[in-house]
């Protein structure tokens, strides 16, 4: 443990110890997604306080705790991952019924979002027991905060969190086709060994902007936005770009019916106005992104 974290533990006690931490409660604790400093003071205090910690990987969590100078007996760490959620949840429920405080942490980030934890929370609440969230790091909101995803004019904002796509070919293709029709921002997660396959599958989206965020909060963090059909070329531009865990954001786009209307308006304006002026006016009238209309205008002129 570094001196910095020794000071953090002391600060955690000063800031959080005076708050109320009920017994017979499950504490869902967010942990860093890469940078160890991205831990909250309340999380440090609760991890010291609880009687047991349920976690995806006990070895990983023990290493994390030791980095912060938190000493927990091996027997107080309970394995609870996607392969034993039902049995693990019952073990946690039994401890809570005995009046214990139990924390749950995933390997990184906020439990229950994409990592295991949702079934555990549901099981605890089904027994009438309390589940207390401790907010913190999340790769989803971290990437979203810097991607600059802006919905076209007059379109509802928000985003759709899809997480990891199915790994089987047919199911994966069906999911991608469905998401291609989604006009809101779509957030995907992807592993390094499948990122090339994903960007190739996104290429038919053409000019739709896509942000790739990899190794978030780590030393080699990289966040880059490109048109969908340019992603494969960017990924091939340097070997390291395919390494690390990815958050992939499909930027908002106009709904299909608006795009059709935008193309119709553009087709009527092009014979009367210069290309840039026609594109600008069509975008203002229909809300379809200018870059999409400009690419369509060049294609129309070529065909003409």
């Amino acid at each position: 443990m570094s001196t910095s974290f020794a000071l953090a533990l002391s600060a955690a006690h000063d800031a959080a110890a005076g708050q109320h931490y009920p017994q017979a409660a499950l504490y869902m604790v967010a942990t860093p997604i890469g940078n160890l400093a991205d831990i909250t003071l309340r999380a440090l205090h609760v991890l010291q306080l609880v009687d047991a910690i349920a976690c995806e990987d006990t070895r990983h969590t023990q290493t994390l705790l030791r980095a912060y100078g938190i000493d927990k007996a091996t027997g107080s760490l309970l394995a609870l991952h996607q392969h034993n959620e039902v049995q693990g949840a019952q073990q946690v429920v039994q401890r809570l019924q005995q009046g214990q405080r139990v924390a749950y942490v995933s390997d990184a980030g906020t439990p229950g979002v994409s990592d295991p934890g949702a079934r555990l929370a549901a099981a605890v609440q089904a027994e009438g027991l309390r589940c207390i969230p401790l907010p913190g790091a999340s790769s989803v909101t971290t990437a979203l905060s810097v991607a600059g995803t802006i919905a076209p004019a007059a379109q509802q904002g928000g985003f759709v969190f899809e997480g990891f796509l199915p790994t089987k070919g047919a199911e994966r293709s069906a999911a991608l086709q469905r998401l291609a029709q989604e006009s809101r921002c779509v957030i995907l997660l992807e592993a390094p060994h499948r990122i090339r396959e994903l960007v190739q599958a996104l290429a038919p989206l053409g000019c739709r902007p896509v942000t790739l965020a990899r190794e978030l909060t780590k030393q080699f963090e990289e966040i880059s936005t490109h048109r969908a059909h340019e992603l494969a070329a960017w990924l091939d531009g340097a070997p390291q770009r395919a390494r690390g865990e990815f958050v992939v954001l499909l930027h908002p786009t106009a709904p299909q019916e608006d795009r059709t209307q935008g193309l119709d308006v553009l087709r009527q304006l092009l014979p009367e106005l210069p290309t840039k002026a026609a594109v600008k006016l069509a975008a203002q009238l229909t809300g379809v992104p200018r870059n999409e209309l400009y690419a369509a205008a060049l294609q129309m002129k070529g065909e003409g």
Side-chain angles (χ1 to χ4, degrees):
M1 179 184 66
S2 70
T3 305
S4 298
F5 288 130
L7 294 174
L9 285 180
S10 176
H13 182 271
D14 292 342
Q19 299 175 16
H20 179 54
Y21 300 95
Q23 294 181 316
L26 173 68
Y27 294 83
M28 302 294 275
V29 182
T31 55
I33 58 176
N35 191 316
L36 285 177
D38 293 335
I39 187 78
T40 69
L41 296 179
R42 192 155 68 113
L44 288 175
H45 180 72
V46 166
L47 291 173
Q48 295 177 88
L49 175 70
V50 293
D51 302 292
I53 300 175
C55 46
E56 276 191 273
D57 186 328
T58 57
R59 294 168 298 181
H60 175 89
T61 298
Q62 189 69 276
T63 300
L64 182 71
L65 295 174
R66 286 172 179 161
Y68 295 130
I70 299 173
D71 185 23
K72 287 288 183 182
T74 303
S76 66
L77 299 184
L78 315 174
L80 195 155
H81 43 73
Q82 62 178 343
H83 302 297
N84 77 336
E85 273 189 293
V86 175
Q87 301 93 324
Q90 289 307 309
Q91 188 177 2
V92 170
V93 166
Q94 289 173 7
R95 285 179 174 259
L96 297 178
Q97 290 172 337
Q98 296 167 7
Q100 294 187 19
R101 299 183 183 95
V102 180
Y104 178 73
V105 298
S106 63
D107 283 348
T110 301
V113 177
S114 181
D115 301 327
R119 285 189 176 88
L120 172 61
V124 168
Q125 293 179 38
E127 294 293 332
L129 297 164
R130 191 168 177 183
C131 192
I132 300 174
L134 271 69
S138 166
S139 63
V140 174
T141 52
T142 298
L144 190 62
S145 70
V146 294
T149 59
I150 302 174
Q155 181 184 322
Q156 183 178 3
F159 64 90
V160 176
F161 174 63
E162 189 73 14
F164 288 97
L165 293 175
T167 56
K168 294 182 179 179
E171 295 177 4
R172 190 176 177 88
S173 297
L176 283 166
Q177 289 177 8
R178 171 174 53 82
L179 293 174
Q181 304 304 315
E182 175 58 64
S183 59
R184 291 171 293 177
C185 175
V186 178
I187 303 178
L188 305 172
L189 303 178
E190 193 53 278
H193 64 280
R194 284 197 297 265
I195 189 62
R196 292 185 187 280
E197 176 189 344
L198 178 60
V199 299
Q200 289 169 359
L202 295 177
L205 297 182
C207 292
R208 185 169 182 173
V210 178
T211 295
L212 298 181
R214 70 177 192 90
E215 295 289 84
L216 285 172
T217 77
K218 300 178 183 177
Q219 181 179 357
F220 299 108
E221 173 185 276
E222 191 168 11
I223 302 166
S224 191
T225 301
H226 304 272
R227 296 175 180 177
H229 66 84
E230 300 170 338
L231 292 173
W234 177 83
L235 204 62
D236 292 336
Q240 75 274 10
R241 289 178 179 169
R243 298 172 187 163
E245 299 296 324
F246 283 82
V247 181
V248 180
L249 299 96
L250 281 58
H251 287 230
T253 187
Q256 185 62 44
E257 57 270 22
D258 290 346
R259 290 200 292 270
T260 301
Q261 181 186 12
L263 294 176
D264 289 342
V265 171
L266 178 64
R267 193 172 287 108
Q268 297 175 47
L269 292 175
L270 277 175
E272 310 297 332
L273 296 171
T275 301
K276 288 186 177 180
V279 167
K280 180 179 180 180
L281 183 56
Q284 291 174 345
L285 290 172
T286 65
V288 179
R290 284 195 196 183
N291 58 358
E292 187 173 334
L293 289 174
Y294 189 77
L298 295 180
Q299 184 177 356
M300 290 176 187
K301 283 183 170 290
E303 292 172 350

